[in-house]
Amino acid sequence: MLLDEQFDDNARGWPYLKNNKLGKGVFDNGVLTYQNNSNNYIQSSINTPINWAMDFTISARIKRLSGRVDNLYGIVFSFKNWNNYYYYGFAPNGYWKLRKMKNEKESYSTGWKKSDLVSASEYNDLKIMKINDQLIYFLNGEVVYHNQEKERLGDNIGMVICDSAVAVYDRLSVSQQYRTEDEQNRLIKKYLSKTGSQSIAADKSESISDKKHQKHKSKINESWRGRPISALKNKWGN
């Protein structure tokens, strides 16, 4: 197990959880309540290197506590910075979405996909399995998407939520698996038979808030490029 976060405390040093203009996090009774005080997406991630030459599984348990119901509550993985990452999450009003950004450009996005699997008020279980060269996405135990992917962008994994939102994270785990080719083929056949043939298409319906978020993050990255991390911590906190 590479990561088994039960959110009993902040022993792992999750960043950007101090009460400031970005947001705050509170650990209590084995859950993290994560609040976004900003006008854009925020993320809190830690270094968790994954060997993309092997199989792996990422899982998280998340629910909306308050705030927007029409935007993202989820996880980032293989996160390097706001120009290189994957995210996967849900909107409590009944949608899910995944996205890949590489070198400041969107490689692909599903756009918002309607699903009756999403719970508006209870926990939603998100899972991503890499089996051979397939990334398979689960929502509350059901396969909702898959695509061919084996590119590592960065080594961080963590939480991401939209503006004006409060989320509760109950669990976040990452594990690595070695499987024989026969085992991989058997699992791919099992899971992909539930979804049929699907392909990633560029998202032509990005929300205004998504575009504002990306523009804002690009400005932040440019303004802090080349400056020491100590300056960033002094500005935004840990």
Side-chain angles (χ1 to χ4, degrees):
M1 184 75 73
L2 299 180
L3 176 67
D4 184 19
E5 179 59 86
Q6 302 294 327
F7 296 113
D8 293 318
D9 51 42
N10 197 16
R12 288 186 170 86
W14 292 95
Y16 310 123
L17 298 185
K18 289 186 175 181
N19 190 6
N20 57 29
K21 63 165 59 177
L22 286 181
K24 69 176 181 179
V26 177
F27 295 84
D28 185 42
N29 293 321
V31 300
L32 167 64
T33 302
Y34 191 29
Q35 177 176 321
N36 187 347
N37 293 330
S38 75
N39 295 320
N40 291 281
Y41 288 10
I42 60 171
Q43 64 82 27
S44 178
S45 61
I46 59 174
N47 186 255
T48 309
I50 297 174
N51 182 356
W52 280 65
M54 296 174 61
D55 291 355
F56 61 78
T57 302
I58 302 169
S59 62
R61 194 164 185 254
I62 313 162
K63 72 174 177 180
R64 167 189 173 271
L65 188 61
S66 64
R68 295 185 61 171
V69 299
D70 61 346
N71 214 325
L72 191 81
Y73 297 72
I75 54 177
V76 290
F77 64 102
S78 197
F79 183 92
K80 181 179 181 181
N81 51 41
W82 276 115
N83 298 321
N84 298 274
Y85 63 86
Y86 300 85
Y87 74 47
Y88 174 46
F90 64 92
N93 62 342
Y95 292 84
W96 62 268
K97 183 179 181 180
L98 66 93
R99 189 186 201 194
K100 177 185 178 181
M101 288 288 295
K102 181 181 178 182
N103 297 330
E104 301 186 48
K105 296 181 180 180
E106 184 180 84
S107 291
Y108 55 74
S109 171
T110 60
W112 288 107
K113 298 294 185 182
K114 181 69 175 175
S115 176
D116 293 335
L117 294 170
V118 177
S119 173
S121 58
E122 301 300 325
Y123 279 103
N124 288 279
D125 290 307
L126 304 180
K127 183 166 71 172
I128 304 148
M129 292 183 69
K130 179 185 176 292
I131 305 174
N132 197 353
D133 63 352
Q134 294 287 324
L135 283 183
I136 305 174
Y137 295 83
F138 297 76
L139 174 57
N140 290 325
E142 299 293 331
V143 177
V144 293
Y145 219 93
H146 66 86
N147 67 305
Q148 191 174 50
E149 183 61 79
K150 54 184 179 181
E151 183 174 28
R152 169 187 160 273
L153 300 174
D155 287 330
N156 276 26
I157 185 168
M159 297 82 70
V160 59
I161 59 174
C162 63
D163 59 293
S164 305
V166 182
V168 178
Y169 285 77
D170 182 52
R171 184 190 71 246
L172 179 61
S173 65
V174 184
S175 59
Q176 195 95 61
Q177 293 86 32
Y178 170 78
R179 297 186 177 102
T180 66
E181 185 175 350
D182 285 344
E183 290 173 327
Q184 290 174 326
N185 291 338
R186 185 170 62 252
L187 287 174
I188 289 173
K189 182 177 180 180
K190 172 185 175 181
Y191 292 131
L192 269 56
S193 66
K194 297 181 179 181
T195 59
S197 179
Q198 301 186 40
S199 61
I200 290 284
D203 182 8
K204 302 301 183 182
S205 59
E206 283 293 299
S207 69
I208 293 175
S209 62
D210 281 345
K211 292 179 180 179
K212 287 173 62 180
H213 152 71
Q214 186 58 34
K215 183 178 180 181
H216 176 74
K217 289 301 178 183
S218 295
K219 288 182 179 179
I220 290 177
N221 283 347
E222 184 63 30
S223 66
W224 285 92
R225 186 166 292 156
R227 299 181 67 177
I229 191 65
S230 59
L232 183 61
K233 289 182 178 180
N234 290 335
K235 174 71 174 175
W236 299 111
N238 294 324

